Amino acid sequence: MKLLIAGGGTGGHVFPALAVAQEWLSRGQEREVVIVGTERGLEAKLVPQAGLPLETVRVAGLMGIGGTRFLRNAAMTLGAIGSARAQSRRKQSPVAPGTNTSFGTIMQVNAGLLNVGYAESGPAGGPAVVLLHGWPYDIHSYVDVAPILASAGYRVIVPYLRGYGTTSFLSNETFRNGQQSAVALDIIALMDALRIEKATIVSELPWAALSR
């Protein structure tokens, strides 16, 4: 049996988490536990000292702040949710999150208004999944997720969206628009270019829209 405990920052969170983990492990040999916290909290020191595994996520506070700092922290928090989900499936997957740092070769294809840079993994005949990053991130938001899906038999496409990475406009005259509707048309064009008739679209991260 497996138990994942999320909590950290202060002793009021860490010590109860350690107590629950130790009690859980004491009740049987066929038990595993992982504690999820941050690299900045007390858990970064206390959990390893207790001989327990620690997985870390990046989080930031949202209360009492505004403007761009709020957007940045919200983006970080939503990204941490995706990371935590991947970590929760770690024992079920042959691919361990945190072991991947890059996608390898980035491919290019003309699609609609863009020349799109994208990473691809998994079998070409598998069901297609398109993973969309958002501001302020890029395709590496999914560097751990893509191999998990690929190992499960999915064809995984992770494109740089307009304004990111190796994706560029084919014409300097094209109106620059970062709104969601423009991104949606880009993805349809990309699917057409890759001859993908049907795909699951995953977009977990926030967007920032700009037109000029």
Side-chain angles (χ1 to χ4, degrees):
M1 298 178 67
K2 302 164 186 175
L3 175 67
L4 185 146
I5 302 173
T10 66
H13 295 90
V14 178
F15 289 115
L18 292 176
V20 170
Q22 290 164 350
E23 177 64 22
W24 169 263
L25 293 173
S26 72
R27 296 196 177 194
Q29 294 183 348
E30 301 298 323
R31 293 174 182 246
E32 301 176 41
V33 65
V34 174
I35 297 178
V36 177
T38 71
E39 296 179 348
R40 302 189 308 272
L42 287 176
E43 65 273 20
K45 178 179 179 181
L46 297 178
V47 173
Q49 283 183 350
L52 298 172
L54 173 69
E55 299 284 357
T56 59
V57 294
R58 296 180 62 197
V59 296
L62 299 176
M63 297 295 292
I65 60 174
T68 57
R69 185 182 175 192
F70 177 86
L71 293 175
R72 182 176 65 249
N73 288 4
M76 185 183 301
T77 299
L78 289 175
I81 292 173
S83 177
R85 287 176 177 169
Q87 289 170 3
S88 71
R89 299 183 179 95
R90 182 171 184 171
K91 297 300 182 181
Q92 288 77 32
S93 171
V95 182
T99 61
N100 304 285
T101 58
S102 67
F103 280 102
T105 302
I106 300 299
M107 292 172 278
Q108 300 291 142
V109 65
N110 288 343
L113 301 175
L114 305 173
N115 178 262
V116 179
Y118 68 99
E120 180 172 348
S121 56
V129 177
V130 181
L131 305 179
L132 305 182
H133 69 81
W135 177 89
Y137 301 106
D138 65 10
I139 64 172
H140 293 88
S141 300
Y142 297 106
V143 72
D144 280 330
V145 177
I148 294 173
L149 293 173
S151 69
Y154 291 93
R155 180 187 181 186
V156 184
I157 308 295
V158 192
Y160 280 111
L161 303 186
R162 54 169 61 195
Y164 291 84
T166 61
T167 292
S168 61
F169 286 92
L170 294 173
S171 171
N172 291 331
E173 303 302 318
T174 301
F175 184 75
R176 271 35 175 185
N177 183 355
Q179 293 180 341
Q180 291 91 331
S181 57
V183 173
L185 293 176
D186 292 343
I187 301 309
I188 293 172
L190 176 61
M191 290 175 61
D192 288 342
L194 298 179
R195 299 181 180 179
I196 297 174
E197 295 184 0
K198 181 179 180 180
T200 298
I201 309 295
V202 178
S203 176
E204 192 171 35
L205 303 178
W207 303 91
L210 175 64
S211 300
R212 62 180 177 85

